[in-house]
Amino acid sequence: DVGEFILICNGCIHFSWQGTAVPCSSGVTSERAVPSSGMYKLEIELKRGHNLAVRDRGGSSDPYVKFKLAGKEVFRSKTIHKNLNPVWDEKTTLIMDCLSDPLYVKVFDYDFGLQDDFMGSAYLYLESLEQQRTIPVTLVLTDSQHPDQDLGNLELAVTLTPKDSPIEERRDSTVRIYTQSMRLSELHRKSQLWRGIVSIALIEGRNLIPMDPNGLSDPYVKFRLGPQKYRSKTVPKTLSPQWREHFDLHLYEETGGVLEITVWDKDTGRRDDFIGRCQLDLSTLSKEQTHHLELALEESRGYVVLLVTLTASAHVSIADLSVTPLDDPQERREILKRYSFSNWRDVGIVQVKVMRAEGLMAADVTGKSDPFCVLELINDRLQTHTVYKNLNPEWNKVFTFNVKDIHSVLEVTVFDEDRDRSADFLGKVAIPLLHIRNGEQKSYVLKNKELTGPTKGVIYLEIDVIYNTFKAALKTGVPAEQKYIEEEPKVSKQLLQQNFNRVKRCIMVLISYGTFINSCFEWESAQRSIVSFVLFVVVVWNFELYMLPLALLLLLVWNYFFSSSRETADESEPKGFMGKLYAIQDVFISVQSALDDVASYGERIKNTGNWTVPFLSWLAITALCSATVLLYLVPLRYLVLAWGVNKFTKKLRDPYMIDNNELLDFLSRVPSDVQVVGNS
């Protein structure tokens, strides 16, 4: 595996064993043709492949090639879809100072969303190449796990040239032109705008055919849109599976708009059974709408139920730092003009520069990670490249998103890439667009998945947001865009306690306001009660509807100038195990009591109307009749004044009077459903 290598070039077969080559006229010599140190340029032309291995169920593959040198990936070809004899015709140029390391060539089958399948590999020993000459090379692909399997071969043309060679100097201008062309092509590919995002919610299957002896199936679904693939989870032992999965596929201009859907039955230890297929022409669907579709399987019975949404992403792109739209004054003016009042649908644009991260968590056994970033803005999702074996990666990428709602939150998540399983979570930050300061490079501490506490590492971002304030204000009054499918909520004692504490804090604020108002009635401070009474009389006597929004306006202004703190974080002390246990018990008891009170009062109101206790129902009728007559004969202003005067003077008239609420006292006499059952 390490020593034996087969070269087929110009019709001759050559064997290389541990660095010793067999001579031939093709340019591969038995002696080392070039020294093993110095600066060299290796030009490689990847031409085509022949009879490559089958890795897809359709009897084909989607091959691409990786070149590695000294353990580092130096080139990756484009993917040729559904072809066992692909033609790449791609070129790359490598600069190296040592020829002792062979070039490792690996071929993979591309699987979108899944682990790519290995299709074979070969070594090209650079020390055996003749210099200053283009040499055709055929690499026979092998697999050390299956040495007898025929995996096909690759055709290359390689040229090894010393950097100070006259031939190399004469070709410098051509190489520079070619390199610039390649960079522009790569930059165009990376900056390419999507035509849209195909958001698919796979809901369920109905009436599928049984494929197993027990009369059931273990169905899963495969989706394909051009080069992109997705496979759902397997739902065991059912003919009506519930998947409830969501994923996005990108729709490019050159990609066909036909979504291919196949349903399979999972079988352990043997080939999965094909259940049926169907297709969806995306060009027939209107954009910006969620379509509920029931697609019949063409080759069998059954249906697949989908929610499909085509979301336009006219300004979603990825580029290098050298292409930064908002840094160009002319481009910035064009963008500002684009988001003027001419187009009411667009609110603005956000540009995110993802610089680097530092001190990330080590997710691999080697003490390193393979980090990459995923940026999400509602349903737009972009991803950086992976920086391998690094805890301080540098991405230096620019992401551009179209802003549909200025109240959206930009989420940046760092993952560790794992080829044999799903990516590991390393950290996350959530940044509201309205909290962004334009042009400021800032370090953000990574947090856990729930964003409740910090994790290891920081990420450096520079964000610019341009938006039309008037259109953003108008968009605030329309329903917010929702993510297509959120994660299913899980039972969590900690989350229950957290939510209970949040509700408790809100209730305590209302109680504090109520206590303050009640203190005015109780004359705890004579000055405060007199001012409150006079203010109450003046407002009620001169009340107009404009006073309601005016009161809210004054409250907002007061809080803006005089609020001492706007922090809402819970700064509770960390508790031990017993402390957490007692806290959870208190939460359950409090929730149980609160639910009982709410249900009891609701049932008592219902039972009053149901004449469960006729005496109380007649009493309610009498009170409602009296209130109707009073409201008809006496203006509301006078009734409110009478109520207020009574409340303010009650404590003065009888200092020892116990305060009460007549309505709650009445309802306390009406039995709840539990009491009705117990008393029957």
Side-chain angles (χ1 to χ4, degrees), residues 634-666:
V634 183
L636 180 63
R637 191 190 314 272
Y638 298 126
L639 294 177
V640 175
L641 276 175
W643 173 86
V645 170
N646 176 63
K647 291 288 290 184
F648 274 103
T649 60
K650 185 183 294 186
K651 195 70 174 180
L652 296 177
R653 289 185 279 111
D654 187 358
Y656 305 105
M657 179 179 292
I658 299 176
D659 197 14
N660 68 306
N661 186 303
E662 292 79 3
L663 178 60
L664 294 182
D665 291 338
F666 170 81

Side-chain angles (χ1 to χ4, degrees), residues 21-39:
V22 180
C24 88
S25 61
S26 65
V28 181
T29 64
S30 58
E31 299 177 357
R32 302 186 189 277
V34 292
S36 60
S37 63
M39 296 299 294

Side-chain angles (χ1 to χ4, degrees), residues 241-521:
Q242 296 287 325
W243 286 290
R244 307 287 175 176
E245 291 187 71
H246 170 257
F247 58 96
D248 291 335
L249 300 179
H250 298 154
L251 194 61
Y252 295 93
E253 288 293 342
E254 71 272 18
T255 305
V258 177
L259 179 67
E260 301 177 9
I261 306 169
T262 54
V263 185
W264 300 80
D265 168 58
K266 178 68 176 177
D267 285 323
T268 304
R270 58 190 178 93
R271 187 169 181 173
D272 296 346
D273 298 321
F274 176 76
I275 296 179
R277 76 172 71 243
C278 56
Q279 292 185 338
L280 175 62
D281 186 357
L282 300 176
S283 63
T284 62
L285 303 180
S286 58
K287 294 184 178 180
E288 308 303 334
Q289 293 184 14
T290 300
H291 303 271
H292 183 276
L293 304 175
E294 296 184 11
L295 303 179
L297 299 180
E298 297 174 356
E299 302 178 18
S300 66
R301 75 177 192 216
Y303 295 85
V304 175
V305 181
L306 307 173
L307 296 178
V308 181
T309 308
L310 301 185
T311 305
S313 300
H315 308 293
V316 177
S317 65
I318 309 174
D320 294 317
L321 285 179
S322 58
V323 182
T324 308
L326 296 183
D327 289 351
D328 184 358
Q330 182 177 357
E331 183 72 16
R332 194 180 188 98
R333 285 193 295 270
E334 290 294 328
I335 292 174
L336 285 171
K337 183 178 179 181
R338 183 191 309 159
Y339 295 106
S340 63
F341 296 100
S342 59
N343 187 351
W344 291 96
R345 183 181 177 279
D346 296 328
V347 171
I349 188 174
V350 56
Q351 175 184 277
V352 187
K353 295 181 182 178
V354 182
M355 304 296 190
R356 66 188 187 278
E358 294 179 356
L360 296 180
M361 184 188 309
D364 298 337
V365 294
T366 59
K368 299 289 184 180
S369 293
D370 303 320
F372 66 92
C373 274
V374 174
L375 286 80
E376 294 178 275
L377 188 65
I378 310 181
N379 290 305
D380 286 335
R381 188 176 187 272
L382 294 176
Q383 178 177 320
T384 69
H385 62 282
T386 302
V387 179
Y388 293 96
K389 302 186 184 307
N390 202 320
L391 299 181
N392 302 287
E394 292 188 9
W395 292 287
N396 293 324
K397 293 293 181 184
V398 180
F399 297 82
T400 306
F401 292 94
N402 186 34
V403 177
K404 305 171 187 175
D405 187 354
I406 195 58
H407 307 284
S408 304
V409 177
L410 175 69
E411 296 183 357
V412 183
T413 310
V414 184
F415 292 97
D416 168 66
E417 180 183 299
D418 281 318
R419 290 186 55 85
D420 56 345
R421 60 182 185 274
S422 59
D424 295 325
F425 175 85
L426 297 181
K428 180 179 181 180
V429 294
I431 310 166
L433 297 185
L434 287 174
H435 291 182
I436 291 171
R437 295 183 179 179
N438 287 349
E440 179 184 27
Q441 186 176 142
K442 188 176 179 181
S443 61
Y444 295 88
V445 177
L446 295 175
K447 298 183 178 181
N448 55 25
K449 290 183 179 180
E450 295 78 20
L451 298 172
T452 56
T455 184
K456 194 173 182 182
V458 296
I459 187 169
Y460 290 84
L461 307 172
E462 181 180 327
I463 311 175
D464 284 88
V465 181
I466 292 178
Y467 67 97
N468 185 294
T469 306
F470 186 75
K471 290 195 293 185
L474 290 180
K475 285 280 188 177
T476 305
V478 301
E481 181 181 359
Q482 302 294 327
K483 286 195 174 182
Y484 299 109
I485 288 187
E486 300 283 354
E487 293 186 4
E488 294 185 1
K490 299 179 180 179
V491 177
S492 171
K493 294 182 291 185
Q494 290 77 10
L495 185 60
L496 175 63
Q497 183 179 1
Q498 177 184 347
N499 292 337
F500 175 79
N501 291 333
R502 291 167 56 197
V503 174
K504 184 178 179 181
R505 285 195 296 269
C506 295
I507 294 176
M508 292 304 296
V509 170
L510 296 178
I511 291 176
S512 65
Y513 285 138
T515 302
F516 177 81
I517 295 173
N518 190 63
S519 67
C520 298
F521 298 141

Side-chain angles (χ1 to χ4, degrees), residues 5 7 101-105 122-126 129 137 139 156 158:
F5 172 68
L7 263 177
D101 293 319
L103 182 69
Y104 188 29
V105 183
Y123 286 94
L124 177 60
Y125 290 91
L126 306 179
L129 295 177
V137 177
L139 299 180
L156 292 80
V158 296

